[in-house]
Amino acid sequence: MPSDPVFLRTYKALATKIAADYAAGYSGLDLSVAGSVVRGIIPEAPILPFASIFFVETAENAGPVLTRYSGTMTFEIYAFAGGDTITERADAAIRLGADVMNAITADRSLGLAGAIDDVLCNFTHLEGDRIGVPYAGVAFIQCQVTFQSDRGV
């Protein structure tokens, strides 16, 4: 089996961190159920709660020496939570977003010490009706993951 580049190892690590039971968190929701977290963007959440993560890009920069490179990977996470009213959906999505961010940033190396320098997250809430996912609030989290390597991958 071939080894994975840092991009794919990071992608997998983020999905694993997101797939957690947040019963003791802000939301009380469970994303550890099989099929609750998917790598890749799908048009709508098949179940609630649900999360998908998408690898957007990586940008590479020259490092301090010829054989050292630094880079930033960008990932987008969409976490869906249900509710009966628009207010309940918004509150549920914001709580779930906070849980997901806590899970990701609890270990800013993502368990990939030596490969990952840091993870920074930006967060916003979207009403599902606006993006074609009725009856769901959506936490949109953008993760910037910085890394260094000797080859750029």
Side-chain angles (χ1 to χ4, degrees):
M1 178 101 174
S3 64
D4 291 336
V6 69
F7 320 128
L8 186 53
R9 287 185 290 149
T10 303
Y11 198 8
K12 290 177 179 179
L14 283 168
T16 299
K17 298 263 182 202
I18 296 164
D21 185 351
Y22 301 114
Y26 296 111
S27 68
L29 299 174
D30 187 0
L31 288 178
S32 67
V33 177
S36 294
V37 177
V38 171
R39 285 189 294 131
I41 296 296
I42 63 170
E44 61 184 63
I47 58 173
L48 291 175
F50 178 78
S52 65
I53 178 170
F54 179 68
F55 174 56
V56 177
E57 69 174 356
T58 187
E60 184 181 291
N61 297 301
V65 295
L66 185 59
T67 59
R68 201 75 186 143
Y69 301 91
S70 63
T72 302
M73 294 174 269
T74 303
F75 296 87
E76 292 180 350
I77 300 161
Y78 299 85
F80 301 85
D84 292 331
T85 68
I86 192 168
T87 302
E88 288 176 5
R89 292 191 294 270
D91 290 354
I94 290 168
R95 288 183 187 115
L96 182 57
D99 283 338
V100 168
M101 286 177 60
N102 279 340
I104 291 169
T105 60
D107 172 10
R108 291 186 181 266
S109 72
L110 301 174
L112 301 172
I116 301 300
D117 293 332
D118 200 5
V119 177
L120 298 173
C121 296
N122 298 313
F123 170 75
T124 192
H125 163 260
L126 305 168
E127 179 50 45
D129 290 332
R130 291 185 64 197
I131 60 170
V133 186
Y135 308 109
V138 184
F140 171 70
I141 303 163
Q142 185 181 61
C143 290
Q144 301 285 324
V145 181
T146 55
F147 69 98
Q148 293 187 35
S149 75
D150 58 353
R151 298 180 311 265
V153 296

